[in-house]
């Protein structure tokens, strides 16, 4: 699938003219502007695997909360459509069978009313049993099954709520795990302490999904990332807790539950929900329900409303999103529109940026402050509201967009209105980002120095994503912001340490790992943009290795692609995958950031984008190109194929017309 020089040259022979590019840009720009909301922002669907909509069905039946028949039927249609040829449900489009998502999807469909003897259910059951059955699922799935009485609690690792009493110096503490970890575990520990039984009004069971009688199961699956000696240590601790937990003082448990409830209540986040992510919202509702809160309790009302706001309901299908991405979508759309230009863009851009301004969090010191108490807040969250958990990636991208609009894109500048407001917001964002740099020079997404790797070995962390350590892509974005603001490594020691971090974590083949986008293409694009922003010599070996790697993996159709398989523990180098518009755009933007413009690889990539553009001005992209948790949870941003290809084509046009080797902007 991966092409060679001759393939790129052959495709380059059909390089689209600038007039053709301009026509494609006009269509894509008009299509994107048509998606702008009346108040100025952009938001597109954010789709994950079937686990979230399946869990939504099971959650509502746990509470015995009625779901309208029409909605339940539409979710069922969605789940059936996503069933793969292997009989189960993968973690991403065209992916391999996954036992956990398959069990949840089967359970949800049976709950909806699908007969176990229906052809699609028989195929699913056969595939599940062939892969070890429901007892082989991951910890969070087994936890859900235990709540339904489908599996004994001994199949779930012990996470006693008394953890809430541990001091910060203890090896495990909520402040030492990721934001998503603490917002899920705090309510989940209460639920596990109380062990409520799902109401399950239809009395649905899934005994047929188990290979062996549950009373005979003594060993439950772990995860490939969990290694000796940590596994042995934590397994021993788990066994000790299992023996001693029944004897914990009642008063101690009661006060621990009170602490967990206080933690959750303080962060409920109105109708945007705890952590603004589905799992935390669902477990917070289960927690209050287990404690006896009625449906009229304002907290329950808020949580249930927040969850229902995640639903995407279409004419014939429906599903539940894991969260929403309005700040991210709006900021990236702004960058693409500024790159594309056009008279109609300026007022629409101002509306988008003005929508972002009041969403900056300046009055709440979130959980990040436990590690950095002297830093003033100043970040943006990913969602509409998530004040305790702004993230550095969004903040850097928003700040760069405002900076470009106020100073580097005169058509968007309004001296009487925008510039002062934007500059104040930018200064506060920069202060917050610089304050959250980790000790190794990099930046994580939500916290600093959240990198105690031994915690991923605890039995409850079989997803391997309990932490939020510095990553190349987020670090690159923060460097890009500082570089766009005029900072250089020779004048800024913090920036120099960050560049050193990126050089250190570069892969042997020249690429960089992409934590939040799929995968090495995303990471490499991010870093090459950062190096361009700080004016790193493109002739340096670190840049040239990355350029060579990107060229070497270009597909024969001129595009680029990469799948979720690239996150495998045994990854040994790039694995060919079909081209996608968003990944092609990242590769092109990365190469252009390295000064590569008049090159067969660029020409071939532009030809791919020109050919792949659909009649509506966008690009069709069914494959997943983003990441929630590597190897566990993947994402499909519906906006990525709408703004990234537009962005890449516009940059190509601008560089060709301006006769410049690279852009002056951070991304």
């Amino acid at each position: 699938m991966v092409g060679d020089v001759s393939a790129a040259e052959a495709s380059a022979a059909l390089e689209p003219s600038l007039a053709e590019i301009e026509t494609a840009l006009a269509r894509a720009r008009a299509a994107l502007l048509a998606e702008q909301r009346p108040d100025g922002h952009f938001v597109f669907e954010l789709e994950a695997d079937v686990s979230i909509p399946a869990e939504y069905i099971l959650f509502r039946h746990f509470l015995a909360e009625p779901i309208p028949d029409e909605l339940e039927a539409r979710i069922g249609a969605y789940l059936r459509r996503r069933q793969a040829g292997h009989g189960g449900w993968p973690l991403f489009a065209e992916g391999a069978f996954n036992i956990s998502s398959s069990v949840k999807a089967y359970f949800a469909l049976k709950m909806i009313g699908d007969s176990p003897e229906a052809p699609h259910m028989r195929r699913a059951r056969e595939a599940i049993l062939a892969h070890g059955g429901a007892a082989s699922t991951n910890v969070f799935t087994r936890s859900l099954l235990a709540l339904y009485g489908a599996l004994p609690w001994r199949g779930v690792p012990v996470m006693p709520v008394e953890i809430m009493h541990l001091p910060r110096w203890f090896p495990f503490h909520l402040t030492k795990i990721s934001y998503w970890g603490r917002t899920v575990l705090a309510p989940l520990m209460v639920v596990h302490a109380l062990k409520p039984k799902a109401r399950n009004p239809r009395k649905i069971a899934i005994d047929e999904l188990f290979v062996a009688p549950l009373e005979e199961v003594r060993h439950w699956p772990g995860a490939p990332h969990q290694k000796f000696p940590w596994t042995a240590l934590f397994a021993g601790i788990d066994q000790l807790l299992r023996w001693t937990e029944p004897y914990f003082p009642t008063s101690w448990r009661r006060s621990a539950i009170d602490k967990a409830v206080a933690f959750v209540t303080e962060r409920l986040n109105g109708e945007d929900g705890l952590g603004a992510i589905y799992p935390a919202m669902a477990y917070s509702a289960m927690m209050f329900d287990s404690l006896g809160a009625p449906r009229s309790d304002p907290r329950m009302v808020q949580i249930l409303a927040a969850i229902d706001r995640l639903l995407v309901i279409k004419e014939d299908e429906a599903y539940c999103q894991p969260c929403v991405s309005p700040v991210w979508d709006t900021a990236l759309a702004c960058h693409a529109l500024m790159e594309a230009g056009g008279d109609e863009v300026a007022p629409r851009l101002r509306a988008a940026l003005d929508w972002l301004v009041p969403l900056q969090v300046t009055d709440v010191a979130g959980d990040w402050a436990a590690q950095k108490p002297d830093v003033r807040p100043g970040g943006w969250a990913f969602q509409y509201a998530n004040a305790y958990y702004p993230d550095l990636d969004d903040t850097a991208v928003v700040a760069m967009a405002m900076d470009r609009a106020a100073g580097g894109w005169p058509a968007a500048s309004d001296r009487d209105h925008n510039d002062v407001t934007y500059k104040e917001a930018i200064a506060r964002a920069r202060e917050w980002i610089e304050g959250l740099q980790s000790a190794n020079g990099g930046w994580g997404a939500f916290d600093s120095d959240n990198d105690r790797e031994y915690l991923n070995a605890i039995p409850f962390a079989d997803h391997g994503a309990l932490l939020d350590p510095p990553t190349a892509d987020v670090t690159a974005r923060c460097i890009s912001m500082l570089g766009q603001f005029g900072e250089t490594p020779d004048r800024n020691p913090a920036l120099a340490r960050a560049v050193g971090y990126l050089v250190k974590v570069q892969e042997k083949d020249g690429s960089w790992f992409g934590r939040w986008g799929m995968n090495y293409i995303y990471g490499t694009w991010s870093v090459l943009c950062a190096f361009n922003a700080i004016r790193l010599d493109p002739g340096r070996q670190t840049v040239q290795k990355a350029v060579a790697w990107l060229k070497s993996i270009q597909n024969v159709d001129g595009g680029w692609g990469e799948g979720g398989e690239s996150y495998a523990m045994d990854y040994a180098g790039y694995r060919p995958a079909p081209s996608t518009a968003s990944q092609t755009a990242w590769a092109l933007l990365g190469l252009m950031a390295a000064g590569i413009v008049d090159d067969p690889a660029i020409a071939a990539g532009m030809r791919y984008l020109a050919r792949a553009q659909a009649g509506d001005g966008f690009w069709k992209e069914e494959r997943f190109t983003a990441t929630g948790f590597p190897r566990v949870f993947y994402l499909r941003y519906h906006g990525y194929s709408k703004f990234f290809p537009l962005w890449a084509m516009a940059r190509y046009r601008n560089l060709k017309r301006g006769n410049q080797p690279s852009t002056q902007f951070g991304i």
Side-chain angles (χ1 to χ4, degrees):
M1 179 169 296
V2 179
D4 54 21
V5 174
S6 61
E9 289 176 343
S11 186
L14 301 174
E15 179 181 3
S17 67
L18 287 182
E20 291 175 295
I21 293 289
E22 193 64 63
T23 299
L25 284 177
R27 292 169 56 211
R29 178 176 55 224
L32 182 58
L33 287 172
E35 295 289 326
Q36 190 172 21
R37 300 298 176 97
D39 62 3
H41 84 285
F42 293 84
V43 63
F44 301 100
E45 293 176 42
L46 180 56
E47 189 175 8
D49 67 87
V50 297
S51 293
I52 301 297
E55 286 179 20
Y56 174 79
I57 292 290
L58 298 172
F59 164 73
R60 295 295 292 261
H61 284 268
F62 175 92
L63 297 176
E65 279 285 313
I67 307 175
D69 291 343
E70 188 174 326
L71 173 60
E72 200 166 63
R74 289 179 181 180
I75 295 176
Y78 175 84
L79 294 175
R80 291 182 210 103
R81 180 177 64 82
R82 293 286 300 276
Q83 187 176 18
H86 47 57
W89 284 264
L91 295 179
F92 48 84
E94 301 178 34
F97 174 91
N98 181 265
I99 186 68
S100 296
S101 62
S102 297
V103 167
K104 284 184 280 193
Y106 179 97
F107 197 176
L109 285 172
K110 190 174 180 182
M111 189 71 72
I112 287 170
D114 287 17
S115 168
E117 297 311 313
H120 67 285
M121 296 290 276
R122 285 203 308 270
R123 289 194 300 114
R125 184 166 62 253
E126 290 167 2
I128 289 168
L129 293 173
H131 286 82
S136 299
T137 54
N138 62 25
V139 166
F140 281 97
T141 304
R142 298 204 304 273
S143 172
L144 181 61
L145 296 182
L147 291 169
Y148 266 88
L151 183 142
W153 279 102
R154 60 183 171 79
V156 183
V158 178
M159 284 292 284
V161 70
E162 286 79 5
I163 283 173
M164 298 300 301
H165 289 314
L166 295 175
R168 282 202 63 200
W169 55 260
F170 198 78
F172 185 95
H173 192 269
L174 283 187
T175 61
K176 295 178 180 177
I177 62 175
S178 62
Y179 116 70
W180 55 89
R182 64 182 78 106
T183 54
V184 170
L185 281 181
L188 179 60
M189 288 188 297
V190 176
V191 173
H192 280 201
L194 300 175
K195 293 182 174 54
K197 185 78 175 289
R199 289 173 179 81
N200 191 7
R202 296 176 185 170
K203 307 305 178 188
I204 301 299
I206 53 168
D207 296 351
E208 68 272 21
L209 295 187
F210 291 89
V211 174
L214 287 172
E215 61 270 15
E216 297 178 8
V217 179
R218 291 292 178 267
H219 301 287
W220 305 93
H225 71 272
Q226 295 175 325
K227 305 294 184 183
F228 184 85
W230 293 114
T231 49
L233 173 64
F234 285 118
I237 293 173
D238 181 76
Q239 193 61 46
L240 178 63
L241 289 171
R242 198 174 300 279
W243 289 335
T244 59
E245 188 182 23
Y247 304 103
F248 288 175
T250 303
S251 60
W252 200 24
R253 169 144 294 190
R254 181 70 257 173
S255 61
I257 289 175
D258 289 344
K259 282 188 177 182
V261 170
F263 177 92
V264 170
T265 301
E266 185 179 5
R267 295 161 176 77
L268 271 182
N269 198 30
E271 290 193 356
D272 290 283
L274 176 64
I277 52 176
Y278 172 82
M281 298 180 201
Y283 279 116
S284 64
M286 285 191 247
M287 179 189 77
F288 286 119
D289 177 74
S290 302
L291 290 167
R295 294 296 176 273
S296 59
D297 187 303
R299 298 167 299 183
M300 288 293 288
V301 171
Q302 287 181 10
I303 297 166
L304 294 174
I307 291 174
D308 281 347
R309 287 178 67 180
L310 296 176
L311 293 172
V312 173
I313 303 174
K314 302 183 180 182
E315 185 175 343
D316 56 351
E317 289 186 348
Y319 72 94
C320 185
Q321 302 171 101
C323 62
V324 291
S325 54
V327 171
W328 186 240
D329 289 340
T330 300
L332 291 172
C334 285
H335 282 281
L337 289 170
M338 281 188 279
E339 198 72 45
D343 293 339
E344 71 274 35
V345 168
R348 309 288 286 276
L349 177 64
R350 281 197 295 272
L353 293 175
D354 286 352
W355 179 84
L356 286 167
V357 169
L359 297 187
Q360 187 176 26
V361 181
T362 58
D363 58 345
V364 176
D367 286 3
W368 53 266
Q371 189 70 21
K372 298 287 187 178
D374 297 326
V375 177
R376 291 197 304 168
W380 276 269
F382 181 77
Q383 305 91 345
Y384 287 105
N386 198 10
Y388 278 85
Y389 306 108
D391 74 273
L392 290 103
D393 212 352
D394 275 89
T395 301
V397 172
V398 171
M400 283 188 279
M402 289 182 171
D403 174 73
R404 183 172 181 179
W409 204 70
S413 182
D414 182 343
R415 301 295 175 184
D416 295 329
H417 173 62
N418 296 85
D419 287 4
V420 172
T421 301
Y422 294 166
K423 287 178 180 177
E424 290 175 352
I426 291 165
R428 192 69 176 264
R430 173 178 176 167
E431 178 184 342
W432 183 68
I433 285 178
E434 288 183 320
L436 262 69
Q437 187 176 25
S438 291
N440 66 2
W443 279 273
F446 299 90
D447 287 285
S448 62
D449 297 306
N450 196 266
D451 55 3
R452 293 167 176 83
E453 288 295 336
Y454 63 86
L455 292 176
N456 272 328
I458 69 174
F460 225 97
D462 64 346
H463 55 2
L466 199 62
L467 304 174
D468 178 21
T471 60
D473 46 351
V474 178
T475 299
R477 212 83 67 223
C478 296
I479 291 175
S480 286
M481 182 198 72
L482 293 172
Q484 185 172 309
F485 295 170
E487 292 293 328
T488 57
D490 59 320
R491 298 199 305 264
N492 188 319
L495 187 55
R497 290 193 299 113
V499 172
Y501 166 81
L502 288 183
V503 172
K504 181 179 179 180
V505 299
Q506 186 175 24
E507 304 292 330
K508 291 181 180 179
D509 61 11
S511 65
W512 278 272
F513 178 79
R515 166 62 179 85
W516 298 99
M518 201 178 289
N519 172 350
Y520 293 94
I521 296 175
Y522 183 88
T524 303
W525 156 64
S526 301
V527 175
L528 287 176
C529 287
F531 285 168
N532 172 67
I534 60 172
R535 298 296 180 259
L536 189 74
D537 180 5
R540 285 186 56 169
Q541 183 183 21
T542 188
V543 175
Q544 288 304 303
K545 283 180 65 179
V547 167
W549 179 79
L550 281 174
K551 287 185 175 183
S552 73
I553 66 165
Q554 187 173 21
N555 286 333
V556 294
D557 62 7
W560 279 263
E562 192 173 7
E565 299 85 0
S566 62
Y567 289 101
M569 293 293 293
D570 61 350
Y571 178 79
Y574 173 76
R575 302 181 183 186
S579 299
T580 68
S582 60
Q583 290 169 317
T584 297
W586 298 336
L588 290 168
L589 288 166
L591 289 172
M592 287 186 282
I596 310 297
V597 180
D598 296 316
D599 189 276
I602 298 291
M606 289 298 157
R607 170 54 57 184
Y608 170 82
L609 290 180
R611 283 198 315 262
Q613 189 178 27
D616 62 1
F618 291 135
W619 285 260
K620 186 178 181 180
E621 188 168 279
E622 297 294 330
R623 291 179 64 84
F624 284 41
T625 61
T627 314
F629 308 130
R631 298 181 296 280
V632 176
F633 190 66
Y634 299 92
L635 300 168
R636 177 188 169 208
Y637 287 84
H638 287 219
Y640 277 13
S641 60
K642 295 176 172 61
F643 41 72
F644 278 120
L646 165 65
W647 191 343
M649 295 183 85
R651 177 150 297 170
Y652 174 75
R653 176 207 61 186
N654 295 342
L655 293 176
K656 292 285 279 188
R657 285 184 173 174
N659 197 29
Q660 296 291 324
S662 62
T663 180
Q664 62 179 315
F665 304 112
I667 52 175

